Amino acid sequence: MATNSIGPLSEAVLPAGIRSRIVENVNGLQMHILETGETPGSAGTILLLHGFPELAFCWRRIMPLLADHGYHVIAPDQRGYGRTTPKPVSYSDAVEPYSTVNLAGDMVALLGALGLNQVDAVIGHDFGSLVAGTCALVRPDLFRRLVLLGTPFVGAPALGARLGAAPADDPIHAALLTLPTPRRHYLLYYAGPEANGDMWNCPQGVSDMLRGYYHQKSADWPNNHPRPLEGSSAEQLARLPFYYVMPADQTMAEIAAASMPSKGQIERCVWLSEADLAVVAGEFARTGFQGGMQWYRSAMRGDMARGLALFAGRQVECPTLFVAGEGDWAAFQAAGAIDAMSARLAREPITPHFLAGAGHWLQQEQPVMLADMLVAFLTALDQS
């Protein structure tokens, strides 16, 4: 196996106590991880899984808070991202390694490479929520608790359920194009051949593109007032913000540019300093976004549904928590997903929790409130 060509992150960009290293032999990868806390942690180990377009670094504000409670905390750059995949991925590269089941396999392999027999909790955000949910579903012996942040995970299908058409072939995409203002779903856009170039080579540059993208999905953007959809029709989906259901003639970089915060707003943004944004933007400027977009390609062609069909009828066995920001549309972008998750994902019903003052990036926007909620969830179970 070739040596990772980029190496760990510099200590100079990391908060005190967070360490960066490369772990060998992780399902064919040399995986970059951040970690903090003692090994082993007196309270156990927590595994944090990021989404798109994020990195292990995007857990930096909450990791020390969890370590203060005695946890050993691990956050990897997942397959396709950052220093785990330090060179650009091409649209022509194989999609199979990016299936949700294989991404969960990466986490199983990571535990093995670290010599861990289990983790006390796997916590996933955004697309990482689906990976975390899959980990808990298929390996309950390794993942003792599950926390889903922002994006609901509905789990495996019922026994006897038939696979439908691949999401990319859903008639909703044609219906969206017939609206008075033609729209296209961001999932289809991310799965297409143009999205990576649109965002990587955008006129404003990667840093400003990410600043606008993060801002418009946060509680700082005044237009985020999420509410449940009344179905999955094109008209209902058109209620979603442009960053989810896009004007058909716009790129995501153009949508981000339209929501670029002012200089004053940037200076007041305590959860994403210019220095921290520079770290994230520097990674994506080097790699592009296609590694993360391969996840969307896999899901849109039906790989996730086929993979989870192997576990049809199975429920998550471990205690499960779902938390979203009060300003996060992700919780409602798929009509009925929260209700389906709450009712049938786990053996016990799941009560959704919504965090005040947070949008989609709740672990960055409100790390203290979220850490308190996570620790309360974990310690209550330890004491029961």
Side-chain angles (χ1 to χ4, degrees), residues 67-84:
D68 287 345
H69 287 275
Y71 290 101
H72 172 217
V73 187
I74 303 164
D77 283 346
Q78 294 198 74
R79 181 183 293 269
Y81 287 88
R83 294 177 182 237
T84 293

Side-chain angles (χ1 to χ4, degrees), residues 169-257:
D169 298 325
D170 192 314
I172 192 63
H173 301 299
L176 286 169
L177 291 173
T178 68
L179 292 172
T181 299
R183 305 278 284 272
R184 61 177 166 177
H185 204 286
Y186 83 107
L187 294 175
L188 188 68
Y189 172 72
Y190 282 164
E194 298 167 354
N196 177 52
D198 290 343
M199 295 172 71
W200 194 11
N201 304 312
C202 58
Q204 69 265 50
V206 169
S207 182
D208 278 359
M209 190 280 298
L210 286 173
R211 173 65 76 180
Y213 188 92
Y214 291 150
H215 176 71
Q216 68 182 344
K217 297 182 77 171
S218 76
D220 296 343
W221 195 54
N223 298 321
N224 282 325
H225 303 289
R227 55 202 181 278
L229 301 182
E230 297 172 4
S232 299
S233 67
E235 290 74 18
Q236 283 295 306
L237 288 178
R239 295 169 56 191
L240 292 168
F242 285 173
Y243 55 76
Y244 278 137
V245 181
M246 310 161 61
D249 61 352
Q250 291 188 23
T251 70
M252 190 61 78
E254 291 171 335
I255 292 167

Side-chain angles (χ1 to χ4, degrees), residues 11-364:
E11 290 184 8
V13 303
L14 295 172
I18 295 183
R19 310 177 293 276
S20 169
R21 64 181 171 119
I22 305 295
V23 181
E24 305 285 342
N25 301 316
V26 180
N27 200 16
L29 301 170
Q30 293 178 308
M31 183 165 283
H32 172 243
I33 68 169
L34 299 182
E35 61 184 329
T36 191
E38 298 295 326
T39 308
S42 60
T45 297
I46 294 175
L47 178 63
L48 304 173
L49 305 182
H50 66 80
F52 179 89
E54 293 188 285
L55 302 164
F57 185 77
C58 295
W59 296 102
R60 71 198 174 282
R61 301 196 74 212
I62 199 169
M63 290 178 71
L65 302 177
L66 297 173
D68 287 345
H69 287 275
Y71 290 101
H72 172 217
V73 187
I74 303 164
D77 283 346
Q78 294 198 74
R79 181 183 293 269
Y81 287 88
R83 294 177 182 237
T84 293
T85 308
K87 295 182 179 180
V89 174
S90 169
Y91 187 82
S92 63
D93 288 347
V95 178
E96 287 77 11
Y98 300 89
S99 72
T100 308
V101 170
N102 194 56
L103 295 170
D106 289 345
M107 295 306 107
V108 172
L110 177 61
L111 299 194
L114 294 174
L116 296 171
N117 295 321
Q118 63 179 17
V119 294
D120 289 81
V122 57
I123 301 175
H125 172 247
D126 187 78
F127 211 136
S129 174
L130 309 184
V131 179
T134 303
C135 287
L137 179 73
V138 306
R139 291 303 303 268
D141 56 322
L142 297 180
F143 303 95
R144 297 186 57 228
R145 299 175 181 90
L146 171 64
V147 181
L148 308 170
L149 300 180
T151 300
F153 175 63
V154 300
L159 274 172
R162 298 180 61 182
L163 281 174
D169 298 325
D170 192 314
I172 192 63
H173 301 299
L176 286 169
L177 291 173
T178 68
L179 292 172
T181 299
R183 305 278 284 272
R184 61 177 166 177
H185 204 286
Y186 83 107
L187 294 175
L188 188 68
Y189 172 72
Y190 282 164
E194 298 167 354
N196 177 52
D198 290 343
M199 295 172 71
W200 194 11
N201 304 312
C202 58
Q204 69 265 50
V206 169
S207 182
D208 278 359
M209 190 280 298
L210 286 173
R211 173 65 76 180
Y213 188 92
Y214 291 150
H215 176 71
Q216 68 182 344
K217 297 182 77 171
S218 76
D220 296 343
W221 195 54
N223 298 321
N224 282 325
H225 303 289
R227 55 202 181 278
L229 301 182
E230 297 172 4
S232 299
S233 67
E235 290 74 18
Q236 283 295 306
L237 288 178
R239 295 169 56 191
L240 292 168
F242 285 173
Y243 55 76
Y244 278 137
V245 181
M246 310 161 61
D249 61 352
Q250 291 188 23
T251 70
M252 190 61 78
E254 291 171 335
I255 292 167
S259 300
M260 186 69 180
S262 68
K263 181 179 179 180
Q265 288 174 309
I266 293 171
E267 291 173 348
R268 293 190 297 273
C269 184
V270 298
W271 59 271
L272 187 61
S273 69
E274 286 289 83
D276 286 345
L277 176 61
V279 176
V280 179
E283 296 293 280
F284 282 110
R286 184 186 71 254
T287 66
F289 298 87
Q290 191 61 53
M293 289 171 177
Q294 297 291 80
W295 296 30
Y296 292 94
R297 289 183 67 195
S298 174
M300 290 298 281
R301 73 181 198 175
D303 293 351
M304 182 164 65
R306 283 188 293 272
L308 291 174
L310 178 62
F311 305 94
R314 186 169 190 170
Q315 292 180 296
V316 169
E317 298 176 8
C318 65
T320 301
L321 175 69
F322 176 84
V323 188
E326 285 187 351
D328 187 5
W329 271 102
F332 303 108
Q333 64 162 308
I338 282 188
D339 292 339
M341 174 195 68
S342 301
R344 65 177 181 83
L345 173 63
R347 292 183 175 179
E348 298 293 329
I350 299 168
T351 300
H353 297 270
F354 295 91
L355 207 60
H360 187 57
W361 322 106
L362 68 172
Q363 78 275 35
Q364 297 189 72

